[in-house]
Amino acid sequence: MKITIRLIVSLTLVVALVAVGSSFHQVRKERLRLAADMERRVVLLAESLRESVVPLVRSDSREKLDRLVERFGNRERLQGIAIFGRQADVIASTAELKNRIPRSLPQVVNSLEEGRPASAFKQIEGKRIYIFAFPLVQEGETIGVLALFDDASYIDVRLKEIWEYNLLRFLILTLLVVVITVLVVRWSITGPIAQIAAWARDLRMGRGKPMKPSPRQDMLGPLISEVSHLAKSLESARVEAEEEAKLRLHAESLWTAGRLKEHMRAELGGGKLFLVSNREPYMHTKDGRNIRCVVPAGGLVTALDPVMRVCDGLWIAHGSGDADREMTGEGDKLRVPPEEPAYTLKRVWLTKEEEDGYYYGFSNEGLWPLCHITHTRPTFRLEDWSQYQLVNEKFAQSLLAEIAGEESPLVLVQDYHFALLPLLVKKERPDAKVALFWHIPWPNPEAYGICPWHQEILMGMLGADIIGFHIQFHCNNFLESVDRFLESKINWEQFSVTRGDHATSIRPFPISVSLDLSPSVADSPGKEASRDKLLKEHGVQAEFLAVGVDRIDYTKGIPERFRAIERFLEKYPEFLERFVFVELGAPSRTHVKRYRDLQSEIEEMVEKINWRFQTKKWKPILFLKAHHSHETIAPFYKAADVCLVTSLHDGMNLVAKEYVAARADEDGVLILSQFTGASRELKDALIVNPYDIEEMAEAIAASLKMEPAERSDRMKRMRATIKEHNIYRWAGNLVTELARLRLPPA
Ligand code: F6P
C-alpha cells in the first residue's frame, strides 16, 4: 500500500505543479489580451467623440455636452462618460455617473497637465472600473478632458472562470492518476509479488508442487527465476534433511550433498579441492550467432559435477569448445555452472597437433582399446606418445601454478588421459596428496603388456598416493600388471605398491550418481503422459518403449543391441507394431576412423531392421543421433518400460544408474551387460551377455512380460542400492582416504 500512496502523492504533486504553472501563464495572457482589447475599444470611442466635444467645451455649451455624453454613454460595458474643464471640474456627465465620480481623479489631472491620455483601473463602489482620460486639445492648448468609465469586472469574471476550469481539470487528472496508479501497481507489482510470495510460502511449507507464477512481463522475471533456484535448493535441503532424519532412526548414515559439504569442510580445513580431467564439465559452442553452453556426454562429468558443486574447488580441463575462449575470463577461468555458479573451471588450451596426438591418438586409439577388451586393436604411434607426454606436462604445469600457495593440497586426477600427471606433480610437490581415478577397466597383464610404454605409464600412475578403479577386479589386474612389469614391493593384503619411499594404495571406489535428481529430471512428466508424446513427436505409436542412451562408441555394444532387437521381433511377432526402441546416441570422437565406421555401421543396421519390419505407422527403431541434454534424456528414462545397457566392456556405466535414479515411480526394467562395473551392484537388473544375441532377445521379451509387482520389487532394490552408494559416498570415501594419508617427510 505504501508504494501506491507514495506513487500517487508524487504523481499528484507533479500534476498540481504543472497545472498551477500553466494556469498562471494562461491567466496572465488572458488578462493582458482582455485589457488590450478594452483599451483599444475605449480609445476608438474617445477619438470619435473628440471632434464633437472640443467645440462644445470651448463654447461651454453644457446642455449640449450633457446630451452628447448621454447619447454615447450607454454603449456596451461603458459605465459612463464625463467631461472635465480646465480646473478638472466636471462640466458634463452621464446620469449614472453624477455624484459617483470621485473628487479628484489623478488620471484626469495628469492628462490635463501633460496633454496625454492617462488610464487606470479603480475600484468604484465595489466594481472594478477602467478609467480612460483623453485630453481635449485645441490649437496646442488642453482645454479639458474627456473621461470614459468602462466596466472591467468581466475580466475578473473571465479569469475566475479560467481558474475554476483548470481546477476541475486538475481534479479529474488527479482522479485518473490515482485510479491508473492503483491498477498498474496491483497488476504489475503488488499482484505478482503477492503471487510469488504465496508460491514461495507454499514451497517453503513443502505443500506439494505449487503452480509457478507466470513471469507476467519482464519486470519480475529475474525475481521469479531467483526464487525458483532458491526454492529448488530449499526443496533438496528438505529432502536431504528428511532422509538424514529417517536414516538416523535406523542408525545408518547416508551420504548427501549436505553431508559431503560438511565433510569436505572438515577434511580440507579451508583448503580447496583440485580436479584435473580432459573433458570439461561445461563447454561453450557456437550456434549460428549465439553461443550455447553444453554439458558434454559421458559419465565423468555426470558424476563429478555434483561433487564440485558441493566443494567449490577448481576443475582444470581442456577447453575444447569452439566458443570457449570467448567465454573464459582472467587466468583462463570462469565460474560454473553458468546459471548457478558454484565452482571454478580453468581451461587449458591445446593446439590441434596436441589434441590429435594426445587425445585422439594415444588416449583414444591407444589406451582406450587397450583397456577395453572389445577386439578393437590398439594403435600406438611414437608421435602420439610424445604429444601425450607433452600434454601431461602442460596440465601438470597448469595445476602446479594453482597449488603453489596451498599447503598439502588435495588433487583428484581423472582417467586415462593423465597417466603421467601424478608423478609429474609429486616430483615438484611431494606434499601434495594426489589420487588418480581410472574411469575405464584395467586389462589383465597379457593384454596390457602390448603397450610399448607400459612401464612409463605404470610409473607415472604410481606417482599418485591412491589409484582408484570402479571394481576390485580392475584393482587386481592393475596390481598384477605392476607385479609383472615393474620392480616394486606389492602388499597384497593392504593392496598397495611401494617404490623407493613412496607407497600407492590401489582401491575400488565404485562411482555413482545422485538419487536426488536434477530439477530437469524430477520435473519432467511421468510415464504414460510422456511416452505417447515422445513417440508422436517422431511419428510413431507403440505400446512399449525401450531406450538406450550412449556415446556412440564401439565399447557400448550398440550393434549387438540392434541384433538382439531384430531377433526379439523375429521370435515374438506379437510385439510387432507394439514395441519401439529409441536410441539416444551422442556422436563421439568422430575424428577417429573406427568411430566414424561405427556410426555408418549403426545407421545401416537401423535402416535394414526398420525396412524389414516397418509398417505405415510404425518402425521398431528410432535412432536419434545428436548431443542430448539431460533435459531431453530425462523424459525418455521416465517413460521407458525398459532401458538397455549392453556394453561389451565398461568401467562402470552410469546410464544404468541414471535410469534407476530417474524411476521415482519404482517401475521399469533394466537390462544390463555383465561386463559393466554397474552389474556388480545392480543385481536386480536382467543381467545379460551382450555377445549372446538369443539371451538378449529373451531378456527383452521377459522385461516386457514381467509382472508389475516384480518390476517394482526389482526397481525398489536397485534404487535402495543407488541411494546408499551414491556419488557423495564415492567422493566422501575417496577424499577421506586421501586427506588422512600420512606422507613421508619430504
Ligand atoms: O568414461 C570414460 C570417459 O573417457 C570419460 O572420461 C568421459 O566422460 C567419457 O568417457 C566421454 O569421453 P570423451 O571425453 O572422450 O568424450
Side-chain angles (χ1 to χ4, degrees):
M1 196 59 194
K2 269 187 188 158
I3 182 165
T4 317
I5 292 173
R6 257 185 252 136
L7 262 174
I8 290 175
V9 169
S10 339
L11 288 172
T12 308
L13 274 178
V14 171
V15 170
L17 217 70
V18 171
V20 169
S22 79
S23 300
F24 261 119
H25 180 66
Q26 195 184 352
V27 162
R28 200 172 138 262
K29 255 177 76 182
E30 187 66 1
R31 179 185 290 126
L32 289 175
R33 188 184 70 76
L34 290 174
D37 198 39
M38 189 172 68
E39 191 174 333
R40 200 170 0 96
R41 200 161 28 81
V42 172
V43 169
L44 266 177
L45 182 61
E47 276 182 345
S48 64
L49 279 176
R50 187 180 56 177
E51 295 300 312
S52 320
V53 171
V54 169
L56 294 178
V57 172
R58 165 72 70 204
S59 61
D60 198 20
S61 310
R62 297 197 175 203
E63 271 181 32
K64 284 185 181 171
L65 282 171
D66 275 341
R67 274 203 304 278
L68 185 75
V69 294
E70 212 55 70
R71 188 148 32 98
F72 286 95
N74 55 359
R75 296 207 164 175
E76 186 201 356
R77 288 198 199 112
L78 202 60
Q79 293 290 296
I81 301 174
I83 296 167
F84 295 83
R86 284 178 202 274
Q87 307 307 318
D89 51 326
V90 180
I91 49 178
S93 80
T94 47
E96 288 89 38
L97 283 182
K98 289 232 161 58
N99 306 324
R100 287 170 64 200
I101 301 172
R103 265 179 197 284
S104 111
L105 281 172
Q107 295 74 28
V108 173
V109 177
N110 287 350
S111 187
L112 267 173
E113 282 172 1
E114 291 167 17
R116 284 196 282 118
S119 64
F121 287 93
K122 202 165 172 65
Q123 206 69 25
I124 300 177
E125 292 176 357
K127 223 178 195 177
R128 225 155 91 85
I129 301 292
Y130 178 64
I131 303 172
F132 182 73
F134 191 78
L136 299 167
V137 182
Q138 195 181 41
E139 292 164 4
E141 185 193 353
T142 307
I143 57 168
V145 166
L146 170 65
L148 303 177
F149 294 79
D150 207 12
D151 181 3
S153 58
Y154 78 96
I155 295 183
D156 293 336
V157 172
R158 172 77 193 112
L159 298 185
K160 198 172 154 227
E161 273 172 13
I162 293 180
W163 277 115
E164 281 170 358
Y165 173 73
N166 281 353
L167 179 67
L168 189 69
R169 227 164 50 159
F170 165 72
L171 289 177
I172 293 175
L173 221 68
T174 307
L175 190 70
L176 285 177
V177 163
V178 170
V179 172
I180 290 172
T181 309
V182 169
L183 292 181
V184 168
V185 166
R186 178 159 301 174
W187 280 336
S188 313
I189 305 176
T190 52
I193 286 180
Q195 257 188 349
I196 296 174
W199 170 61
R201 190 177 47 243
D202 286 352
L203 287 169
R204 176 169 54 82
M205 316 275 283
R207 291 183 193 144
K209 245 192 201 349
M211 270 273 286
K212 184 173 171 179
S214 66
R216 195 185 310 143
Q217 287 97 49
D218 35 340
M219 201 168 84
L220 294 172
L223 178 64
I224 290 179
S225 122
E226 276 311 313
V227 175
S228 287
H229 285 314
L230 219 69
K232 275 168 196 158
S233 315
L234 211 71
E235 176 64 13
S236 347
R238 187 182 16 252
V239 171
E240 217 171 82
E242 278 168 12
E243 284 300 340
E244 295 258 23
K246 270 190 226 157
L247 283 157
R248 241 176 271 130
L249 281 179
H250 294 90
E252 288 179 48
S253 77
L254 180 77
W255 279 91
T256 60
R259 180 172 166 199
L260 180 63
K261 195 173 195 161
E262 285 310 313
H263 184 78
M264 289 291 190
R265 201 171 290 154
E267 291 295 343
L268 297 171
K272 257 196 246 156
L273 185 66
F274 296 88
L275 191 145
V276 186
S277 77
N278 170 70
R279 188 57 69 202
E280 57 184 337
Y282 297 91
M283 180 195 271
H284 287 101
T285 57
K286 288 187 182 148
D287 184 7
R289 284 178 163 199
N290 301 327
I291 291 183
R292 272 197 317 145
C293 184
V294 175
V295 176
L300 186 147
V301 170
T302 308
L304 292 174
D305 178 61
V307 173
M308 289 303 276
R309 284 179 190 231
V310 169
C311 302
D312 188 7
L314 178 81
W315 184 327
I316 303 179
H318 171 208
S320 53
D322 57 5
D324 272 356
R325 281 184 197 263
E326 285 163 53
M327 302 303 289
T328 308
E330 214 176 300
D332 299 326
K333 289 179 190 161
L334 69 156
R335 295 284 291 167
V336 290
E339 73 283 2
E340 207 174 344
Y343 63 92
T344 303
L345 168 64
K346 180 183 186 188
R347 285 171 169 156
V348 174
W349 312 112
L350 297 183
T351 63
K352 193 174 166 306
E353 251 187 348
E354 286 170 333
E355 195 180 355
D356 277 346
Y358 138 84
Y359 174 73
Y360 289 108
F362 195 75
S363 298
N364 287 319
E365 287 192 281
L367 290 179
W368 180 266
L370 178 78
C371 292
H372 290 91
I373 313 296
T374 59
H375 315 286
T376 292
R377 189 184 271 200
T379 306
F380 295 109
R381 303 180 197 94
L382 179 60
E383 175 49 23
D384 292 347
W385 169 241
S386 308
Q387 292 297 350
Y388 186 84
Q389 287 171 292
L390 286 176
V391 172
N392 269 250
E393 180 67 49
K394 194 173 201 174
F395 271 81
Q397 288 311 322
S398 176
L399 172 67
L400 286 167
E402 295 302 326
I403 59 175
E406 305 274 331
E407 199 182 315
S408 262
L410 295 198
V411 178
L412 300 185
V413 181
Q414 304 299 316
D415 233 348
Y416 58 100
H417 310 90
F418 295 116
L420 309 180
L421 196 134
L423 187 61
L424 293 170
V425 173
K426 285 292 263 195
K427 266 190 195 155
E428 299 299 320
R429 288 292 305 269
D431 66 314
K433 295 179 174 175
V434 179
L436 167 65
F437 191 78
W438 200 262
H439 288 254
I440 61 176
W442 189 271
N444 59 51
E446 286 72 33
Y448 175 69
I450 65 171
C451 173
W453 299 284
H454 57 263
Q455 279 191 320
E456 288 86 337
I457 287 173
L458 289 177
M459 285 192 292
M461 292 173 75
L462 287 170
D465 302 296
I466 297 177
I467 299 177
F469 294 95
H470 291 298
I471 57 175
Q472 184 62 50
F473 184 60
H474 299 151
C475 297
N476 298 353
N477 280 349
F478 180 79
L479 273 189
E480 280 166 19
S481 304
V482 175
D483 198 16
R484 176 84 57 93
F485 301 115
L486 276 193
E487 209 155 292
S488 60
K489 208 167 97 201
I490 297 182
N491 183 333
W492 287 97
E493 261 170 33
Q494 298 290 320
F495 263 79
S496 65
V497 180
T498 306
R499 279 174 44 83
D501 58 357
H502 181 250
T504 306
S505 300
I506 317 299
R507 294 268 185 281
F509 294 97
I511 208 162
S512 194
V513 294
S514 149
L515 200 63
D516 36 304
L517 299 160
S518 70
S520 57
V521 178
D523 294 346
S524 59
K527 186 175 168 180
E528 302 301 333
S530 60
R531 181 206 297 131
D532 296 342
K533 190 170 162 267
L534 291 171
L535 292 178
K536 208 166 162 194
E537 277 165 20
H538 298 283
V540 268
Q541 283 176 353
E543 200 181 318
F544 299 102
L545 171 66
V547 71
V549 180
D550 310 86
R551 273 183 317 101
I552 302 178
D553 193 299
Y554 53 85
T555 60
K556 302 294 177 188
I558 302 172
E560 286 75 6
R561 197 179 305 167
F562 289 157
R563 252 172 244 137
I565 289 167
E566 186 177 23
R567 184 70 188 124
F568 157 71
L569 292 173
E570 270 169 14
K571 285 177 94 171
Y572 297 93
E574 67 268 31
F575 284 101
L576 289 172
E577 296 194 89
R578 293 172 64 206
F579 167 90
V580 166
F581 175 73
V582 179
E583 172 64 31
L584 299 164
S588 174
R589 306 171 189 169
T590 43
H591 295 302
V592 177
K593 185 172 178 306
R594 178 69 181 90
Y595 285 80
R596 286 198 302 276
D597 292 347
L598 176 71
Q599 273 195 38
S600 317
E601 184 190 346
I602 290 174
E603 270 156 353
E604 273 171 34
M605 280 187 83
V606 173
E607 170 67 25
K608 192 187 115 226
I609 298 170
N610 279 343
W611 178 247
R612 178 172 171 199
F613 295 106
Q614 77 190 21
T615 59
K616 214 169 169 198
K617 276 193 171 172
W618 174 83
K619 54 184 168 184
I621 300 177
L622 279 179
F623 178 36
L624 307 181
K625 190 179 78 174
H627 173 88
H628 301 284
S629 65
H630 287 294
E631 287 75 10
T632 318
I633 296 170
F636 281 96
Y637 280 149
K638 294 182 97 177
D641 301 286
V642 192
C643 176
L644 277 116
V645 176
T646 57
S647 311
L648 304 180
H649 203 187
D650 216 330
M652 173 53 72
N653 193 292
L654 287 185
V655 168
K657 291 189 173 180
E658 275 180 12
Y659 175 65
V660 173
R663 299 314 297 251
D665 62 350
E666 299 175 341
D667 201 355
V669 180
L670 175 65
I671 296 182
L672 181 60
S673 159
Q674 67 187 75
F675 304 122
T676 59
S679 68
R680 308 290 204 277
E681 294 173 81
L682 302 176
K683 297 198 165 45
D684 280 285
L686 299 186
I687 306 289
V688 292
N689 171 359
Y691 292 95
D692 186 342
I693 304 302
E694 292 300 319
E695 186 191 25
M696 280 209 286
E698 287 304 326
I700 297 173
S703 70
L704 300 181
K705 291 178 182 172
M706 193 182 285
E707 287 299 320
E710 186 183 348
R711 285 202 310 256
S712 167
D713 283 350
R714 285 173 180 263
M715 187 52 84
K716 270 186 198 151
R717 286 194 291 266
M718 290 195 285
R719 285 177 64 79
T721 303
I722 292 183
K723 191 174 191 176
E724 199 181 338
H725 297 272
N726 60 21
I727 184 61
Y728 304 116
R729 172 185 285 257
W730 177 87
N733 287 347
L734 182 56
V735 170
T736 310
E737 194 149 331
L738 191 63
R740 295 184 185 171
L741 275 177
R742 293 248 176 96
L743 298 180

